[in-house]
Structures are given as C-alpha cells and as structure tokens.
Amino acid sequence: MLSAVTPMPFTGAGLDRATDDRRRDPDWLAAQRAHPRARAVVADPSGLALDGDRLKLTPYRGEEPALLLGLDADGPLFAVDAGPPPGPPPAAILGVDALREAGARLAPAEGGLLAYVAALVNWHRRHPRCACCGAATTITEGGLLRICPACDAEHHPRTDPVVITLVIDGTERVLLGRNVRWPARRYSALAGFVEPGESLEEAVAREVAEESGIEVGAMRYAASQPWPFPASLMLGFFADYRAGEPRPLEGEIEDVRWYSRADILAAIHEDPGAPLDVPPRFAIARHLIDTWAGVTAGPAA
Amino acid sequence: MLSAVTPMPFTGAGLDRATDDRRRDPDWLAAQRAHPRARAVVADPSGLALDGDRLKLTPYRGEEPALLLGLDADGPLFAVDAGPPPGPPPAAILGVDALREAGARLAPAEGGLLAYVAALVNWHRRHPRCACCGAATTITEGGLLRICPACDAEHHPRTDPVVITLVIDGTERVLLGRNVRWPARRYSALAGFVEPGESLEEAVAREVAEESGIEVGAMRYAASQPWPFPASLMLGFFADYRAGEPRPLEGEIEDVRWYSRADILAAIHEDPGAPLDVPPRFAIARHLIDTWAGVTAGPAA
C-alpha cells in the first residue's frame, strides 16, 4: 500500500485530537484554555503565519471562539481565527495558490497541522448559520460541533470525498488529463467529487468515463490525502484500462491522452525535452504517478 | 479487492447521473421534465413506497422541486419529496430502523437507487438555508446544487466519510465492539467519522485506539458503501493488530473483545451456541467479517 511506504503530504499532525468524550466536558475544555502552555496557530486575513519552515505558534490568550485542535507533548493547541481576507463570503483561509507557496516552504512534518487548521477554520468561516433554519449557530465541543439554538440541529464539519484516479494500461502507458484552469503543460490524474449515494468505486468509474470517455475495469485504492481548500479529502485509486478512446469533457478538460513510461520519467526528472509537466510533489496525483513509474517519492517539499 | 468480488449492498444504481454539463443546461433539464416516460420515486412522510421487492416508480408530473436522479434506458428518473415525517427538523426520509426493514424486502439491485434517493432527499430536507448567511437557497442543476441568492454561496450535497475497521490478529482472532445502542448480542467492526484535515489511515488508527485502546499496524482498504442516513459513506478497512489490550470507550462502546474464528463462523451460520450475533448482510461490516472468515457473502437481502 502506497501510504504505508510514503506518508502523504498534509498528513501527520500527530496530535491527540481528544475526539472522545473529553471535548464534551466544559470543565475539561476550560482547563485546556487556561493551560499555562496553551498555544495557538493564528489564521488572519493574509493566511497563516510561518516561522521559518514551521507554522508559527503563539501563546493562547483565551481568544473566542476556542477551536481546540488537540494536545501535543507540551499541552493544548488551538486555532484562532483573526478574520477572513476582505471580500464577500464565502471566504477561505488559504486557497490552492497560497498552499502552493506554503507547500514549497513548509517542513513536510508541518503539512498535517496546516491541513487540520485550514479544514477547521475554513469550515467555521463558511458555516456560521444553521442550514436547516438559518439561525446563527453556537460553537461547542471545542469547535468540532455547531448547534442551533433555534431548531436544535447539530452540524459537524464537512469533509468532501474526492476520487482521484490514475488509469493505467499495464506498465506501458498512463492516462492523464489537463484541466482548463491549470498551468501550461500540466497533466495529472482524473478527479471528481463523490456524488450522493455513490460508492468510491462507482465514483471512479463515472468520473473517468465522464472526463475522458474511457471505461475502466479493476481498480485498487492506493492512499488518501486531506485537501482542505476548503474541505476535500482526496482518495487515490489505480484503475485498469478496459475500453474506449480518450475524449476530453468539454468545458472542463482541455485535453486527455496516453503518456508512455518514457514520457513520464522525463517529466519526473524534469528533462528539458519532456512533453508534459507532472503535478508537484505535495499532490497525491504525483504520488500515484511516481508509484506507477517505480520512482520513489522524495520529500514533499 | 472485496468490492470486485461482491458488489456492496446500497450500490449499483446504474443510472447515467448526467453530472457532466447537461445538468447546467436549463433547456436540457426542461426537456427531461417534459419527457413522456419520465418517472419518479416518491418520498412521503411514511418513507419510500415499495412495489413488491422494488421501489415504486410513478409517472413524473412536473412536481417541484425537480430532483433529477439521472437517466435509465427508459428515460429520466426523478425523486419527488412529498414531505418529511411529522416532528421538528432535522427530519430524515429513512432512518436505520426503516432501512433494516427495506433491506430485508428490497431486491439487492434496488439498494443503490434507494441509497441515492435517500441521500439526495435527506440532504435537501436538512439544508434549505445558506450555512453562510442564513437565507433560503435555490435548487439548481436538477438538485445537485443549491445557490444562495443573498450571498452567492454554492452548496453541494454533503457526504460524510466514515472509516469502519476490522482489526485482525492474523487468521486466528478478530476484534469486535458493541455500541451501547445496538441490539443485544450484536458485535461489529469499529467505526467513526473522519475528522477535518485527517487522512483515512489516520482516522482508522485514531478511531480504533479511541474505541478499543488497541494500536494497529498495517492497514488495507477493502470496499466502500453508501450509508445515506442521513449522509454517510462507509470506507471499510482491515487493520493488523499491533499492541494493547481491549478497553471499551466509556459511554459509547459497551464492550470490545477478541473473537476466535470458530466463534465468528458459528455466528455467521447462526448456530444456537454462537456467543455473539454478527451484523446483517446489508452492512459493510458483515462483508469485512465474512471475507476475513473466508465465507462467501450471499445475497444482500
């Protein structure tokens, strides 16, 4: 299994999240907030502050709302939201552009914490109201639940599963597509959100067919990666080619085509003659591609 | 891979969901609504109507909102919501109790359609308002998107990933737990929601440790199953035992313990002397248990 060999970027926060009944105990939460070594990761309008190649931690001073990330060896760790960037809602703490920069600067071990903070702060920024009745909701359980005082509905943070599939034709060629919004020359695995009432395997087959016109056969789960911009969880699969000719989905996929092993190796090694660019190392798609090509992934940076 | 051998219950709707750009075309949607062979699955306060062992389909008469499930060989298929059961929100179309009955009566091939209808209708019932600003939102894309006329936020149906893990100690024993709310004698795999910014693998390790005190090593993804009551997607894993003694999570898990292969086989075969009951066949947990025990799963009913 891929994930057992190379930890995925944006995993590994390694905190005790205290998701058992401790979070439901107001006295316990109050003690964490008053802890002398409580620290916070601060999200402000410009994003997340870095301290060299790490997320900057500041002493926690009881700021509201108290979003308790969990406990590390030194004590409790909070996320503090000092406000979104200017502009109309829905605002996000970090978009993929900012992430690209942070991904290049952050120590790999910090990626899991970044993903956790981004997921939690993004969700609270985008969900202050009750989707059931529209009333303002109240944060509880240290930020892992919002409850509605008007209709009693409970709202947990949402995580949107996304399947990302590398279609392979044995060891010789691999199917990659180009989203219309991507940088020039970039090709990657095919991805899409899981739809209501759909298994991952159904989503893989549907998304590949929709985006590329290709029918797949057997598929194998490889690894997962949080991608909380604002709320995705990437679920990586390999799928065997069965039938069809590549045909891009109009309006979303600019091009979809087979690449040979030699093409992929050239792109991985950044040869000047490579016919494409592969995704950056912090993307799960890159790990799927490297694994297929038999290249051991390097550090995530 | 388990899912390649035995299709999971609540999968296999087999519709063309038209999740490409067709849904964004109002003319195309209008043509589906006016289609002479358009049909609907109707959710009413008592649940979903059955016609023998199948979901009852009625002619679609242009009811609002038009929730387009997709297309089958006969034409478009809609879900129509004739209202939730009496009582305060958040109301759900079908809870797990009603499902248990439907699971016993429905033809296995109908389970995927049931899951899709339940997921979509449940989401619309619970999310009429904008979580960002509280305004009433408008259904678009045939029911796969709600947009906010006040703040322009877009809201897609939510699907909550849940990891469900069978901890195994080689071929000899398996770790099962008993939720405090379950029927007497029922033991099953350990399950819990994926938290923000967490990979599936991190969620597996965290949930098993939290609920049972057990530390796991290598893990293998097995299969997935929609469980839309109201919005879950079950992601089944096997995980190897590494260390620890079983200790149930107070307040949630009544008991957690190792069972031998002989115990599990007795339960699968419903021997009078079996020391436990295993979950029903429509649950992914049962498929994990059967697969570990080397028993081929029968029909889902």
Side-chain angles (χ1 to χ4, degrees):
Chain A
M1 188 182 61
L2 179 58
S3 57
V5 181
T6 49
M8 283 295 111
F10 302 115
T11 68
L15 292 174
D16 169 7
R17 290 173 178 247
T19 45
D20 47 25
D21 49 4
R22 283 172 289 169
R23 277 185 186 268
R24 298 186 196 106
D25 176 355
D27 293 339
W28 184 85
L29 277 177
Q32 305 314 307
R33 298 178 58 170
H35 193 288
R37 288 188 303 280
R39 292 136 301 143
V41 179
V42 179
D44 68 23
S46 65
L48 290 177
L50 300 188
D51 184 1
D53 66 350
R54 298 178 63 90
L55 290 168
K56 186 174 180 182
L57 301 185
T58 58
Y60 177 69
R61 307 282 190 212
E63 290 92 337
E64 290 282 4
L67 304 177
L68 176 64
L69 297 167
L71 313 178
D72 65 13
D74 290 331
L77 191 59
F78 290 85
V80 165
D81 186 5
I93 175 181
L94 267 183
V96 174
D97 287 344
L99 163 72
R100 206 164 277 133
E101 192 194 343
R105 287 177 58 195
L106 265 193
E110 293 283 287
L113 184 58
L114 179 145
Y116 186 10
V117 172
L120 198 58
V121 172
N122 282 345
W123 181 69
H124 284 287
R125 283 189 182 172
R126 295 163 62 96
H127 296 79
R129 294 279 177 164
C130 178
C132 232
C133 77
T137 54
T138 306
I139 293 176
T140 183
E141 294 191 7
L144 288 187
L145 181 64
R146 298 186 74 110
I147 53 177
C148 179
C151 78
D152 294 332
E154 297 191 344
H155 301 284
H156 293 269
R158 72 179 275 169
T159 298
D160 300 326
V162 172
V163 287
I164 180 161
T165 307
L166 190 65
V167 179
I168 63 179
D169 190 11
T171 56
E172 287 314 306
R173 59 180 191 163
V174 66
L175 186 76
L176 298 179
R178 229 190 94 61
N179 192 291
V180 292
R181 298 183 305 273
W182 286 352
R185 293 169 47 86
R186 163 78 54 80
Y187 281 76
S188 188
L190 304 173
F193 288 101
V194 177
E195 294 289 337
E198 189 177 52
S199 71
L200 296 186
E201 290 73 16
E202 291 176 314
V204 165
R206 178 184 54 74
E207 280 288 345
V208 170
E210 215 168 272
E211 297 192 349
S212 72
I214 294 294
E215 182 187 339
V216 296
M219 54 189 79
R220 294 166 295 288
Y221 170 82
S224 65
Q225 178 188 46
W227 193 259
F229 313 101
S232 295
L233 174 61
M234 310 300 289
L235 304 164
F237 280 82
F238 294 104
D240 292 335
Y241 170 71
R242 179 182 279 162
E245 290 298 321
R247 171 191 50 68
L249 172 61
E250 198 180 320
E252 185 173 337
I253 306 292
E254 188 179 283
D255 187 30
V256 59
R257 61 176 63 205
W258 292 105
Y259 282 102
S260 70
R261 172 173 299 270
D263 290 339
I264 296 298
L265 288 172
I268 289 172
H269 296 126
E270 300 179 14
D271 290 350
L276 76 159
D277 290 341
V278 286
R281 285 184 176 170
F282 59 75
I284 189 173
R286 174 63 178 272
H287 282 248
L288 296 174
I289 292 168
D290 285 358
T291 299
W292 173 79
V295 175
T296 302
Chain B
M1 188 184 58
L2 181 59
S3 56
V5 180
T6 50
M8 283 296 111
F10 303 115
T11 68
L15 293 173
D16 169 7
R17 291 173 177 245
T19 44
D20 48 25
D21 50 4
R22 284 172 288 171
R23 276 184 186 267
R24 298 185 197 108
D25 177 355
D27 293 339
W28 184 86
L29 276 176
Q32 305 313 307
R33 299 179 57 168
H35 193 289
R37 287 188 303 282
R39 292 137 302 142
V41 179
V42 179
D44 68 23
S46 67
L48 291 176
L50 301 188
D51 185 1
D53 66 350
R54 296 178 64 90
L55 289 168
K56 186 174 180 181
L57 301 186
T58 58
Y60 176 70
R61 308 281 190 214
E63 290 93 339
E64 291 281 4
L67 304 178
L68 176 65
L69 297 167
L71 313 177
D72 65 14
D74 290 332
L77 191 58
F78 290 85
V80 166
D81 187 3
I93 175 180
L94 266 182
V96 174
D97 288 343
L99 162 73
R100 206 163 278 134
E101 192 193 346
R105 289 177 57 194
L106 265 192
E110 293 282 286
L113 184 57
L114 179 145
Y116 186 9
V117 172
L120 198 58
V121 172
N122 282 346
W123 181 70
H124 284 287
R125 284 190 182 172
R126 295 163 61 96
H127 296 79
R129 295 277 177 163
C130 178
C132 231
C133 77
T137 54
T138 307
I139 293 176
T140 183
E141 293 191 10
L144 288 187
L145 182 63
R146 299 186 74 112
I147 53 177
C148 179
C151 78
D152 294 332
E154 297 192 343
H155 301 283
H156 293 270
R158 71 180 275 168
T159 298
D160 300 326
V162 172
V163 288
I164 180 163
T165 307
L166 191 65
V167 179
I168 63 179
D169 189 11
T171 57
E172 286 316 305
R173 59 178 191 164
V174 65
L175 186 76
L176 299 179
R178 230 192 93 60
N179 192 292
V180 293
R181 298 183 304 272
W182 284 352
R185 293 169 47 84
R186 165 79 55 78
Y187 282 76
S188 188
L190 302 173
F193 289 101
V194 177
E195 294 290 337
E198 188 177 53
S199 71
L200 296 186
E201 291 72 16
E202 291 176 314
V204 164
R206 179 185 53 74
E207 280 288 346
V208 171
E210 214 167 273
E211 297 191 349
S212 73
I214 294 293
E215 182 188 338
V216 296
M219 53 188 82
R220 294 166 294 287
Y221 170 82
S224 65
Q225 178 189 45
W227 193 259
F229 313 99
S232 295
L233 174 62
M234 310 300 288
L235 304 165
F237 280 81
F238 294 104
D240 293 334
Y241 170 71
R242 179 182 280 163
E245 290 299 320
R247 172 191 49 71
L249 173 61
E250 197 180 321
E252 184 173 338
I253 306 293
E254 188 178 283
D255 186 29
V256 58
R257 61 176 63 204
W258 292 104
Y259 282 102
S260 70
R261 171 173 299 271
D263 290 338
I264 296 298
L265 288 171
I268 289 172
H269 295 125
E270 300 179 14
D271 290 349
L276 76 160
D277 290 342
V278 285
R281 285 185 175 168
F282 59 74
I284 189 173
R286 175 62 178 272
H287 282 249
L288 296 174
I289 292 169
D290 285 357
T291 299
W292 174 78
V295 176
T296 304

